[in-house]
Amino acid sequence: MAGEMRMRGAIETERLRLRPWTDADAPALFELAREPELGYGAGWQPHRSVEESLTVIQTVLGVPHTYAVELRVPSADGEPAGTLVGAVGLMGPDASDLAFDAGEYEIGYWTGKPFWGRGYAPEAAGALMGAAQRELGARAIWLGYYAGNERSAHVAKKLGFRAVRVRRGVDVPLLGERRDEVDNLLALLSPEGRRALVLLAARDDPARHLCASESVRLGRADVLMADEQLGVLARFAGKGAYLASPFSAAGARAMGERIEPGAVVSLDDAALAGELAPGAEVWPYDGWVYEAAEPPAEVGAPLEMRPLTVEDTDAVDAQYALMDRDGVEDHLRRGWVIGGYDGEGRLVGFIGEHHEASMGMLEVFPWARRHGYATTIEAAQIRAMLEADRIPFCQVAPDNEASQALQRRLGLRRIGQTQCWLHKPET
């Protein structure tokens, strides 16, 4: 990609060296990649010849941020320095179906079967992610592995990744089959990001600040201010909207000075809107948070819940009026929308999440209403978020009595402070 930053040279760890692939690696790659168990777990056919391995190096592995992993020093088992043990690489938004925004990358890795159980995969992946944070400004790393791949799951856990969703029936084109994929996320927090989370967690009611704290924790926003007296200000990467958690009127004014005219801002205390952006157009809402450890029991009609895809764009766009078509498609591509299907296989409604990590987009088709489907659908979203170690919360307009009642029925707590979105005047 034109203008793409590249990391410099080799990356070394205590035991390993990560370096670009060369044609001379083909024989060593073939010896590792011919193993059927390795290829099947990773989703590709075993290599059948050195020539095929050479072609893979030239067409797949010879791209930026993809490295051969070799021993930097002789191993405890007697292999000499320079022995090829595996591969590790990063893909940016232009090549990944998990990474979407600037600063997001997807990581992939494997080690040859003779080297399993030695800790080389987490050592190599950790080194590459550290270099990406330093040299590329990476702020979030995605990792996908097929359900049942316990070795990859172990590495992911060791590296600190958190499972955020399971995608059902993902195509594995090189094997001609479909599998379930577990998608994991690791936010590479800056010192300011870590400080922001500490400050927000120490407030009297941390739930008031979930838009900012969850966006930062998930690697979706960059922290611009983290001050013990003034508060926390963050901004979505590539999205332009700000997330403001001022601790005082002075904090709101200080943040207002850093936010450019015309910007959209999420403000967790609507009473400070006049301090942050005098004359701004304001949309107030009530925040609701689910704080129980277990998900709510489904009280509506049973539904089959599964993620929607871009193929469902027309159905979602026709029903959901608070987002343009491009926004709907973006949410679907990110896997942020799940749908409920009745016993006849009909889509009856859906729910999603927004960039600030709140639940939203809850809609039930008019012909399917009055069956309790909204309760079932939101309960499923709460369950999915809890399973991913997420905090379920949502934003409800003060006059939306039906949604307010739904939140109470599901056991959410209304956050006491009125919050808002606002549009800072152009001048």
Side-chain angles (χ1 to χ4, degrees):
M1 187 169 60
E4 181 182 19
M5 293 187 294
R6 299 195 179 195
M7 289 183 284
R8 300 183 296 274
I11 302 169
E12 294 188 345
T13 71
E14 180 180 355
R15 300 183 296 172
L16 305 173
R17 177 180 293 109
L18 285 57
R19 58 162 177 80
W21 289 86
T22 70
D23 291 354
D25 293 317
L29 173 61
F30 172 63
E31 289 303 315
L32 299 180
R34 66 192 300 182
E35 166 58 49
E37 191 174 353
L38 171 64
Y40 182 76
W44 37 265
Q45 295 282 356
H47 291 195
R48 292 163 293 186
S49 66
V50 173
E51 289 73 24
E52 180 180 358
S53 294
L54 176 61
T55 299
V56 170
I57 289 173
Q58 294 174 341
T59 61
V60 178
L61 299 176
V63 297
H65 314 323
T66 298
Y67 296 86
V69 180
E70 66 180 18
L71 295 177
R72 188 178 68 84
V73 295
S75 74
D77 294 298
E79 295 101 348
T83 299
L84 181 71
V85 302
V88 65
L90 292 173
M91 295 185 293
D94 58 326
S96 168
D97 63 350
L98 295 179
F100 284 90
D101 294 324
E104 290 188 355
Y105 292 87
E106 179 185 353
I107 193 167
Y109 51 78
W110 58 263
T111 54
K113 189 172 181 178
F115 307 103
W116 289 354
R118 301 192 195 180
Y120 290 154
E123 185 173 334
L128 180 56
M129 292 191 297
Q133 185 177 23
R134 293 189 302 272
E135 300 184 30
L136 302 178
R139 55 182 178 73
I141 305 293
W142 287 90
L143 166 64
Y145 58 78
Y146 297 121
N149 189 335
E150 295 302 323
R151 285 188 300 276
S152 282
H154 176 73
V155 173
K157 185 176 181 180
K158 191 169 184 179
L159 290 168
F161 280 89
R162 296 167 48 247
V164 295
R165 64 174 176 260
V166 177
R167 289 188 291 164
R168 308 291 182 186
V170 174
D171 282 324
V172 186
L174 296 179
L175 296 180
E177 60 186 45
R178 289 176 178 268
R179 297 182 185 175
D180 294 344
E181 180 176 303
V182 183
D183 295 336
N184 303 262
L185 179 66
L186 175 64
L188 304 176
L189 296 179
S190 66
E192 280 290 279
R194 291 191 292 271
R195 176 172 170 76
L197 293 183
V198 170
L199 291 175
L200 295 175
R203 304 299 292 173
D204 291 340
D205 186 359
R208 283 179 49 189
H209 313 290
L210 283 170
C211 284
S213 62
E214 284 296 278
S215 297
V216 171
R217 190 165 74 97
L218 293 170
R220 298 181 185 179
D222 300 315
V223 174
L224 308 179
M225 175 192 296
D227 185 276
E228 187 173 357
Q229 302 300 321
L230 299 177
V232 172
L233 177 66
R235 188 178 192 182
F236 291 130
K239 290 297 176 184
Y242 290 83
L243 304 158
S245 291
F247 297 164
S248 63
R253 290 192 293 271
M255 293 179 188
E257 293 174 358
R258 301 189 61 167
I259 297 173
E260 73 272 14
V264 174
V265 184
S266 167
L267 178 61
D268 59 22
D269 186 350
L272 295 176
E275 301 287 349
L276 188 144
E281 187 176 4
V282 176
W283 298 274
Y285 65 84
D286 294 326
W288 291 78
V289 59
Y290 189 84
E291 297 172 315
E294 298 297 326
E298 294 185 9
V299 296
L303 294 171
E304 178 191 356
M305 304 299 302
R306 60 176 184 261
L308 301 185
T309 71
V310 291
E311 296 178 357
D312 301 295
T313 299
D314 288 342
V316 176
D317 183 51
Q319 184 66 24
Y320 189 65
L322 299 180
M323 186 183 298
D324 62 25
R325 185 180 179 85
D326 288 343
V328 167
E329 186 170 337
D330 174 76
H331 280 54
L332 290 167
R333 287 188 183 280
R334 293 172 186 267
W336 284 356
V337 187
I338 59 174
Y341 293 80
D342 66 13
E344 299 180 27
R346 298 175 299 179
L347 179 65
V348 303
F350 53 84
I351 191 171
E353 67 172 276
H354 297 300
H355 285 279
E356 69 277 11
S358 67
M359 299 185 295
M361 301 179 67
L362 176 58
E363 295 286 344
V364 175
F365 296 159
W367 59 266
R369 291 173 184 166
R370 301 187 182 279
H371 293 283
Y373 289 144
T375 304
T376 305
I377 291 171
E378 185 170 335
Q381 178 76 340
I382 291 171
R383 181 180 302 104
M385 296 181 83
L386 291 176
E387 290 174 349
D389 193 27
R390 299 273 301 278
I391 300 175
F393 71 103
C394 62
Q395 305 167 357
V396 180
D399 59 354
N400 190 338
E401 296 180 1
S403 185
Q404 303 267 3
L406 174 61
Q407 309 317 313
R408 293 189 187 93
R409 188 161 60 249
L410 286 167
L412 281 79
R413 172 177 69 88
R414 182 183 176 277
I415 299 169
Q417 193 75 40
T418 300
Q419 303 175 328
C420 71
W421 285 89
L422 64 83
H423 180 252
K424 188 176 180 180
E426 295 286 350
T427 57

